[in-house]
Amino acid sequence: GESVGLHLPTLSVQEGDNSIINCAYSNSASDYFIWYKQESGKGPQFIIDIRSNMDKRQGQRVTVLLNKTVKHLSLQIAATQPGDSAVYFCAENPPPGNTPLVFGKGTRLSVIA
Amino acid sequence: AAGVIQSPRHLIKEKRETATLKCYPIPRHDTVYWYQQGPGQDPQFLISFYEKMQSDKGSIPDRFSAQQFSDYHSELNMSSLELGDSALYFCASSLGTGGDEQYFGPGTRLTVT
């Protein structure tokens, strides 16, 4: 079937290594950011979020870093596993509230076993 | 836990036909968002509803309309379908107006021939 992310940048990592996926966002006033994981043919799956009053947030095997100065987000995945293979999107939520998410360009993560 | 439900999962239509996509948000979620995702593209926001009222509008063509019903489910109506409408259509839901933690459904794959 048709795949999401046919023309997206790809990051290939060895199983067990750490992965870092980067994202630039557009609105300096955005105050909430989310990383989504999207497997082929499926909807985006929430991974981790961060608010603009923080610069780092950790979850299970994932860490999000926020650099507001340069409008940059990164997602770090520790001990990458084959099941992490997917397209990863960052999304920003510009103010005011009740606004839709603005997605960044996705990155395809390919884990080499 | 209950997730966002979308139906149908796959839909094939011919040019100039109409289509209706349905979305059932997570129970107690009062906000619904519709996104369109073309091949290799990030999700693009179409329209959203909060408490049965349109809350925001994105790049939704005039040929499309949507509404949210009293039970909070939403329908996206698409008329005069064009080949370029072929895409994955995602619905997401959230609780409240902050746009926080939008949970996505599995999507409807629309193919226009």
Side-chain angles (χ1 to χ4, degrees):
Chain A
E2 190 175 17
S3 297
V4 171
L6 289 174
H7 308 291
L8 297 172
T10 298
L11 173 66
S12 297
V13 298
Q14 291 285 338
E15 181 179 359
D17 287 352
N18 297 334
S19 303
I20 300 176
I21 301 171
N22 297 304
C23 175
Y25 63 91
S26 59
N27 191 331
S28 59
S30 292
D31 55 5
Y32 180 64
F33 306 88
I34 308 173
W35 278 100
Y36 284 95
K37 171 186 179 182
Q38 188 175 26
E39 296 172 280
S40 183
K42 297 184 178 180
Q45 177 187 358
F46 176 94
I47 301 174
I48 191 168
D49 59 359
I50 188 168
R51 298 202 175 273
S52 58
N53 61 351
M54 304 172 68
D55 54 21
K56 180 179 180 180
R57 188 165 188 226
Q58 288 185 293
Q60 186 178 15
R61 281 204 307 121
V62 295
T63 301
V64 55
L65 299 177
L66 173 63
N67 185 331
K68 295 182 288 293
T69 302
V70 295
K71 294 188 291 186
H72 182 268
L73 273 170
S74 68
L75 177 71
Q76 300 177 1
I77 304 174
T80 312
Q81 303 170 359
D84 296 327
S85 294
V87 176
Y88 290 80
F89 292 98
C90 69
E92 61 183 302
N93 185 211
N98 197 29
T99 54
L101 295 174
V102 176
F103 283 81
K105 298 305 177 186
T107 296
R108 175 180 294 283
L109 176 64
S110 179
V111 180
I112 304 166
Chain B
V4 176
I5 297 172
Q6 290 187 246
S7 68
R9 293 295 310 280
H10 302 273
L11 190 59
I12 300 175
K13 291 286 186 178
E14 295 186 354
K15 284 193 303 183
R16 293 180 288 278
E17 286 192 318
T18 62
T20 297
L21 309 186
K22 297 184 179 182
C23 169
Y24 298 86
I26 291 171
R28 294 187 294 111
H29 280 194
D30 50 17
T31 307
V32 169
Y33 309 80
W34 285 97
Y35 293 86
Q36 178 191 58
Q37 186 176 34
Q41 303 295 316
D42 52 285
Q44 294 292 317
F45 171 71
L46 293 177
I47 195 167
S48 62
F49 294 87
Y50 167 66
E51 285 290 346
K52 293 152 280 184
M53 299 289 289
Q54 180 182 309
S55 57
D56 220 325
K57 193 172 183 179
S59 53
I60 184 169
D62 292 340
R63 300 178 288 108
F64 295 3
S65 64
Q67 56 182 325
Q68 185 179 33
F69 295 86
S70 58
D71 64 351
Y72 296 104
H73 95 271
S74 179
E75 295 184 3
L76 177 66
N77 300 294
M78 311 161 73
S79 63
S80 302
L81 287 169
E82 301 174 356
L83 296 178
D85 296 328
S86 296
L88 278 165
Y89 289 84
F90 292 107
C91 169
S93 73
S94 68
L95 178 62
T97 60
D100 294 358
E101 293 197 42
Q102 293 182 27
Y103 293 90
F104 282 75
T108 295
R109 181 180 298 279
L110 172 67
T111 302
V112 181
T113 62

